[in-house]
Structure formats: C-alpha cells, structure tokens
Amino acid sequence: MSLKHRKTRKSHAPVLSLADQARKNGQHAGYDAGKEEGYLRGRANYIVNCAQEPLPFRQLHVLYVSSGKGFPYSPLDEAIMATLQGMVAQVTLSDPRQPVSEIALQTRPDLVLVLDGMDIPLEHLDAIRQAGIQTAIWLTDDPYYTDMTLESVQHFDHVFTLELNCVELYRQNGCPSVHYLPFAAFTNHYFPITTPSALHRDVSFIGSAYWNRVYFFNPIMAQLMSHNTVFNGIWWDRLPDYAAYGEKIELGRWMSPQETNDVYNGTKIVINLHRSHEDDSVNNNHVKILPASPNPRTFEIAASTTLQLTDARDDLARFYKPGVEIETYSSPQELLDKVEYYLTHEKERREIALRGLERTLKDHTYGKRINEMLSIIFP
C-alpha cells in the first residue's frame, strides 16, 4: 500500500462526538479506578492472611465487669470480652448493676477487670481486694473526666489508662501500679472488606461536633464539601452554614461498628480530629491535663485500610510513622492541602493505607494490649 493510500485510510477513522468521547473517557476512568481498588483489596487481603505471632494462653480466671453504659461503650466491652475468651481459661461476665463483690467471692477469679468503672460501687472493690483478689481498671476517657476517675482509681490494685499524661497524675495520687495502655483495633469490627464497597466517598468524618471541631472545620467546610464528602455525628447543626450542606451531614445518627467499617472501606480519606481537653461544657478535667495519646478511632481507621488524616498528637509516632503509615495535619489549611493532594495521588494514598493496616495487625490489636496487661499483672 502506498503512503498516499495509508494517509487516506487514516483520515477516514471515525470521529467521536463529545458525548461518545466523554463516555469512552468515563469507561477508562472506571476501569482504572476498579483496577486500583482491586489492587488495594488484594494487597490488604494478603496482609490480613499473613500468619500473626501467636499470643500466649493463660490458665487464668478473669471476672470482667463491663462499663454498663451501652453504646458507644458496648463495642469496647465486646472487643475486650471476646479477646479475653480466647486468651484465658475462664471469663465470667458481670456489670456494675450486679453484686460484683458477691460474684467475685463466690467464683474466686484470679483477676477482676473493670472497664471505665464510673458506675461500680467502690465498696464492692474494697471487699474484693480484702479477699485477696487482684483488681484492675482500664480507663476509657482520660484525660477528659479525671475529676471523677481520681476518686475511683485508688480502689484498684492496677490502673491502666489510654492517656500517657495521666500516668504520673494517678501515681502522685496514691496508685503504685499505673500503666499506659491505649485501646486498639478489634479486627472483628474493623477490617478491610474483600469486595468493592457499596459506598464511594472521597472524604468522611465520623464523630461528635465538639466545639473545637466546629471551630476547626468551619473555615474550610465549603472546600471539603466540594468533594464527595460526608460528616456524621451529633451537634453538627452548630456549624453556621449547616443548612447549606444538606445530606452531606448525617446529623444525630449513631453508627454501629459494622456501619462505620463500611464507611471507612468506602472512603478514600478519613479525617480524625481529637476532642479538646479545655471544653468545660463536656469535660471534667479541672487541672487541664494536656492529652498526648491517640484516640481509639486512630487504630480502627487504620485497620480498615483507608488513608487517615489525623491531627498530630505528641505520642502518635510511637504507634504509627507519620507520612509512612499515617498522615497528619496541624492546621485547617494543611488538612485541606493534603486532602487535595491525596485525592489526586492514588498510589501514595494506597501505600500509606496498606502500611497502616500492616502496622495495626502487628502491634495494635486487642490481643496485643490484653497480653501486655496480663504480663504486667501476672509477670
């Protein structure tokens, strides 16, 4: 075929209309997005199925006293109870409404472990200790309610707090055995799903609209909402322009762990913003202890294999390496800049999420935490 004929043949190639070209581009984009999501879920599934170091099984009897508060504390209770049942010989379950001291004296456990402890009668604890049974409390809300926890911690043999800056406070107030033990990810609740998510969001935030969060998000809310963004939680009608965001704010809906995990899996970027220690409208922390430790949501988001953007707390790097296993921000503008960046840099976003999952399964599960606790109490 002559060059002339080749050129003529090429000139007769069909010309796509704008609508057909847009459709074709959309098909390519959909294919690329599906390929990226498939890679993410395949890698995550591989990480989950890698053999984890087995945890020791102990011939112990633990009487577990739940918080008794219901949701949102009940998922913590479930995580601890289920984990304990796989790590010790016997677990007896109770709650603050029951005669805990009578149950302990009848069953003679090796340990009475209390979550939260706000509602348990202190005389029950004293009777248990007088009988020679060890007691421990795992505090759930430090440092926000230290005015109340200071009254109860002295009635326990061992105190475990999720806030590093509360350790010395309790020691100075007569507690000889105080230990830093943050919560973790319960992988029955938070995990990477293996199939494409039914949800498709760019950005999500799940949590209550404490005033520090309202003040932080308000200047950048319009820019955040210009993406496929959804906020969920109580009090978000405090935002000055709340009405303008319509269904992008799911107001007042408490989400179960399963629903939350679905949102995390279906979101490209999940924002984490800690509450303030200075909000006297909700806190009981008159000494204004400054928090340094990450909240439980930090570990739960990472376990779901999504990129987490969190405000940088002083002790965060103990758990995740910023820029490698998690991403941080220190101002509204920096948050917005990183949202814009990672929404257009799929590979970087995906790799940080996968490294965060791997670190979580290695170091930040309830099995790891409870093993650490039991190693302290029964060295």
Side-chain angles (χ1 to χ4, degrees), residues 250-314:
E250 296 180 347
L251 183 66
R253 176 171 162 243
W254 288 103
M255 298 176 66
S256 68
Q258 179 180 349
E259 292 173 314
T260 304
N261 188 58
D262 288 344
V263 169
Y264 290 166
N265 273 274
T267 303
K268 293 180 179 180
I269 299 172
V270 175
I271 300 173
N272 186 7
L273 176 59
H274 294 77
R275 60 189 285 190
S276 172
H277 66 292
E278 295 183 310
D279 187 349
D280 292 334
S281 68
V282 290
N283 294 342
N284 287 273
N285 176 20
H286 81 275
V287 293
K288 298 292 188 290
I289 292 187
L290 182 69
S293 305
N295 57 15
R297 201 177 297 276
T298 305
F299 308 106
E300 295 165 356
I301 297 170
S304 302
T305 321
T306 188
L307 175 67
Q308 177 175 181
L309 281 174
T310 184
D311 54 323
R313 283 198 161 180
D314 290 347

Side-chain angles (χ1 to χ4, degrees), residues 69 73 118 141-148 208-214 234-235 238 254 274-286 288:
K69 290 183 172 182
Y73 293 85
M118 293 285 192
D141 292 292
D142 280 342
Y144 308 108
Y145 302 127
T146 48
D147 296 352
M148 294 179 284
S208 301
Y210 295 109
W211 283 113
N212 72 296
R213 291 172 174 170
V214 172
I234 60 174
W235 305 331
R238 291 173 168 177
W254 288 103
H274 294 77
R275 60 189 285 190
S276 172
H277 66 292
E278 295 183 310
D279 187 349
D280 292 334
S281 68
V282 290
N283 294 342
N284 287 273
N285 176 20
H286 81 275
K288 298 292 188 290

Side-chain angles (χ1 to χ4, degrees), residues 80-95:
I80 296 169
M81 288 187 292
T83 304
L84 275 172
Q85 287 168 341
M87 296 181 66
V88 300
Q90 181 180 351
V91 179
T92 300
L93 304 179
S94 185
D95 65 67

Side-chain angles (χ1 to χ4, degrees), residues 53-318:
E53 180 183 353
L55 295 168
F57 184 86
R58 292 175 168 85
Q59 292 296 327
L60 295 173
H61 175 197
V62 177
L63 171 56
Y64 178 72
V65 184
S66 70
S67 65
K69 290 183 172 182
F71 197 82
Y73 293 85
S74 51
L76 297 174
D77 283 315
E78 183 181 345
I80 296 169
M81 288 187 292
T83 304
L84 275 172
Q85 287 168 341
M87 296 181 66
V88 300
Q90 181 180 351
V91 179
T92 300
L93 304 179
S94 185
D95 65 67
R97 296 179 295 272
Q98 299 184 35
V100 176
S101 58
E102 292 181 21
I103 296 171
L105 295 176
Q106 290 170 3
T107 60
R108 302 296 303 185
D110 299 290
L111 172 68
V112 175
L113 173 60
V114 178
L115 183 73
D116 183 66
M118 293 285 192
D119 298 326
I120 189 170
L122 299 181
E123 59 270 19
H124 285 221
L125 300 168
D126 295 338
I128 293 168
R129 295 178 71 190
Q130 289 170 7
I133 300 171
Q134 290 203 77
T135 60
I137 185 170
W138 201 352
L139 295 165
T140 58
D141 292 292
D142 280 342
Y144 308 108
Y145 302 127
T146 48
D147 296 352
M148 294 179 284
T149 54
L150 276 170
E151 299 175 5
S152 61
V153 290
Q154 297 177 37
H155 296 264
F156 290 89
D157 297 302
H158 307 279
V159 176
F160 295 89
T161 173
L162 79 172
E163 174 48 56
L164 178 64
N165 285 343
C166 283
V167 172
E168 192 58 33
L169 172 74
Y170 295 136
R171 286 176 179 167
Q172 291 175 355
N173 281 270
C175 302
S177 178
V178 185
H179 308 276
Y180 178 35
L181 194 69
F183 289 125
F186 183 43
T187 54
N188 288 15
H189 287 165
Y190 298 97
F191 54 89
I193 61 177
T194 56
T195 57
S197 173
L199 296 172
H200 297 282
R201 296 178 182 175
D202 291 333
V203 181
S204 291
F205 180 87
I206 299 176
S208 301
Y210 295 109
W211 283 113
N212 72 296
R213 291 172 174 170
V214 172
Y215 298 143
F216 185 94
F217 282 121
N218 187 51
I220 60 170
M221 204 68 180
Q223 293 97 316
L224 281 177
M225 290 300 181
S226 68
H227 300 289
N228 180 13
T229 300
V230 177
F231 274 47
N232 174 277
I234 60 174
W235 305 331
W236 284 107
D237 49 352
R238 291 173 168 177
L239 284 165
D241 296 326
Y242 159 73
Y245 304 123
E247 295 181 354
K248 285 178 171 282
I249 296 180
E250 296 180 347
L251 183 66
R253 176 171 162 243
W254 288 103
M255 298 176 66
S256 68
Q258 179 180 349
E259 292 173 314
T260 304
N261 188 58
D262 288 344
V263 169
Y264 290 166
N265 273 274
T267 303
K268 293 180 179 180
I269 299 172
V270 175
I271 300 173
N272 186 7
L273 176 59
H274 294 77
R275 60 189 285 190
S276 172
H277 66 292
E278 295 183 310
D279 187 349
D280 292 334
S281 68
V282 290
N283 294 342
N284 287 273
N285 176 20
H286 81 275
V287 293
K288 298 292 188 290
I289 292 187
L290 182 69
S293 305
N295 57 15
R297 201 177 297 276
T298 305
F299 308 106
E300 295 165 356
I301 297 170
S304 302
T305 321
T306 188
L307 175 67
Q308 177 175 181
L309 281 174
T310 184
D311 54 323
R313 283 198 161 180
D314 290 347
D315 202 42
L316 177 67
R318 181 197 302 251

Side-chain angles (χ1 to χ4, degrees), residues 6-52:
R6 285 201 299 270
K7 288 183 178 179
T8 302
R9 189 172 185 176
K10 183 177 180 181
S11 66
H12 284 83
V15 177
L16 297 178
S17 68
L18 291 177
D20 288 338
Q21 186 63 52
R23 189 179 303 111
K24 185 176 180 180
N25 292 341
Q27 289 173 344
H28 283 303
Y31 173 80
D32 291 342
K35 183 179 177 181
E36 294 289 354
E37 184 171 7
Y39 178 84
L40 174 68
R41 300 201 183 284
R43 282 275 308 278
N45 187 55
Y46 172 78
I47 292 170
V48 168
N49 288 309
C50 285
Q52 300 293 321

